[in-house]
């Protein structure tokens, strides 16, 4: 408990005010995972492709602007133009990744239904623009709450709180899971899932709950 004390106390300090926002978002995630069709899941996978090295806030706006069906049907050129219109930092590569990932449509539900870590490993191996963080992000956003989304903001929080000793410079499965285990331990102390704790930390850092 000692090495988690500061982080624990900071999260507890905002728990009451953040709770309704977090719960509403979690219900949205669970509904998407339970009731979403292949295009819903593909839209969320594409959102996670877009937010890599970008921002969640702008990714949400881009996802809304492009529209669920268009991630699956626009030509590369049309999708590229849409990403330029919303000001994406890497419109060419992201449009290419999304188009290439269309081969997963029809399989996303079956991948999602596997145990979380197995599903994540499949996505990392088969989806373009999807690494350990993005795969975890997609699975959490579709209702699998047992994974940690180790983006730079979460990692910096863990580092500043003394939970990890250094900021990782790259990911292997083993390295990701080592840090994830610390996040899971913190979540357990808070009696919450990692997916929930991620949102509480974002509220702590930014004063809002995104996705």
């Amino acid at each position: 408990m000692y090495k988690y004390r500061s982080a624990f106390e900071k999260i507890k300090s905002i728990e009451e005010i953040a709770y309704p926002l977090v719960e509403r978002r979690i219900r949205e995630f669970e509904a998407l995972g339970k009731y979403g069709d292949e295009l819903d899941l593909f839209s969320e996978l594409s959102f996670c492709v877009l937010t890599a090295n970008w921002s969640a806030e702008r990714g949400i706006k881009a996802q809304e602007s492009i529209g669920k069906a268009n991630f699956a049907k626009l030509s590369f050129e049309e999708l590229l133009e849409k990403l330029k219109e919303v000001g994406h930092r890497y419109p060419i590569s992201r449009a290419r990744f999304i188009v290439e990932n269309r081969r997963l449509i029809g399989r996303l539900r079956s991948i999602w239904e596997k145990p979380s870590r197995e599903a994540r490993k499949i996505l990392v191996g088969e989806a373009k623009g999807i690494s350990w963080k993005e795969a975890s992000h997609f699975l959490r956003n579709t209702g699998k709450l047992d994974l940690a989304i180790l983006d730079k903001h979460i990692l910096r929080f863990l580092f500043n709180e003394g939970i990890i000793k250094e900021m990782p410079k790259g990911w292997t499965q083993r390295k990701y899971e080592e840090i994830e285990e610390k996040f899971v331990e913190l979540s357990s102390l808070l009696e919450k899932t990692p997916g929930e704790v991620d949102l509480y930390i974002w509220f702590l850092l930014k004063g809002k709950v995104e996705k």
Side-chain angles (χ1 to χ4, degrees):
M1 173 64 181
Y2 176 76
K3 69 177 178 179
Y4 300 113
R5 183 177 300 278
S6 176
F8 178 92
E9 291 177 351
K10 287 180 180 179
I11 294 168
K12 292 298 285 186
S13 73
I14 53 87
E15 181 178 12
E16 184 175 356
I17 189 172
Y19 175 80
L21 301 175
V22 171
E23 284 300 298
R24 182 164 64 246
R25 188 65 81 182
I26 291 296
R27 286 194 294 271
E28 291 173 0
F29 294 158
E30 292 175 335
L32 178 57
K34 185 174 182 179
Y35 302 113
D37 60 20
E38 286 288 319
L39 292 185
D40 290 314
L41 296 177
F42 187 70
S43 174
E44 201 62 26
L45 184 70
S46 299
F47 163 78
C48 294
V49 168
L50 293 179
T51 58
N53 296 309
W54 208 33
S55 74
E57 181 180 10
R58 299 184 75 180
I60 291 169
K61 291 178 180 178
Q63 185 183 32
E64 292 172 349
S65 174
I66 293 169
K68 176 181 76 172
N70 285 333
F71 282 113
K73 74 178 186 181
L74 291 179
S75 68
F76 168 79
E77 292 76 14
E78 291 170 328
L79 187 56
L80 174 61
E81 189 59 33
K82 289 284 189 182
L83 294 181
K84 288 180 177 179
E85 288 174 5
V86 298
H88 201 284
R89 291 177 66 188
Y90 309 106
I92 297 174
S93 63
R94 299 307 184 261
R96 184 183 303 118
F97 292 154
I98 290 168
V99 170
E100 291 185 28
N101 284 341
R102 289 172 183 170
R103 70 186 187 281
L104 295 174
I105 296 174
R107 290 182 57 211
L108 287 173
R109 170 61 61 187
S110 64
I111 293 171
W112 183 88
E113 288 174 346
K114 295 181 183 298
S116 297
R117 291 195 175 193
E118 183 180 349
R120 180 170 66 184
K121 190 172 183 179
I122 293 170
L123 291 169
V124 170
E126 298 193 28
K128 298 295 184 180
I130 295 290
S131 189
W132 299 98
K133 185 264 290 185
E134 291 79 28
S136 302
H137 196 179
F138 166 74
L139 291 167
R140 195 284 305 275
N141 284 11
T142 52
K144 288 182 175 283
L145 306 177
D146 55 337
L147 300 173
I149 306 166
L150 300 179
D151 70 6
K152 63 183 179 181
H153 304 289
I154 297 297
L155 289 168
R156 191 173 296 116
F157 175 81
L158 297 178
F159 176 75
N160 290 340
E161 296 303 315
I163 295 172
I164 60 174
K165 295 181 179 179
E166 60 183 7
M167 296 284 287
K169 295 181 173 60
W171 289 122
T172 62
Q173 179 179 355
R174 180 178 178 181
K175 184 63 176 177
Y176 196 96
E177 290 179 347
E178 284 177 356
I179 297 179
E180 182 175 52
E181 188 56 38
K182 298 180 188 298
F183 197 94
V184 170
E185 289 176 2
L186 171 62
S187 302
S188 179
L189 289 170
L190 289 160
E191 299 184 327
K192 302 184 187 302
T193 64
E196 291 172 301
V197 172
D198 177 86
L199 296 176
Y200 279 101
I201 293 175
W202 272 87
F203 185 88
L204 180 64
L205 297 176
K206 292 197 168 188
K208 57 185 177 179
V209 172
E210 295 173 327
K211 70 170 185 172

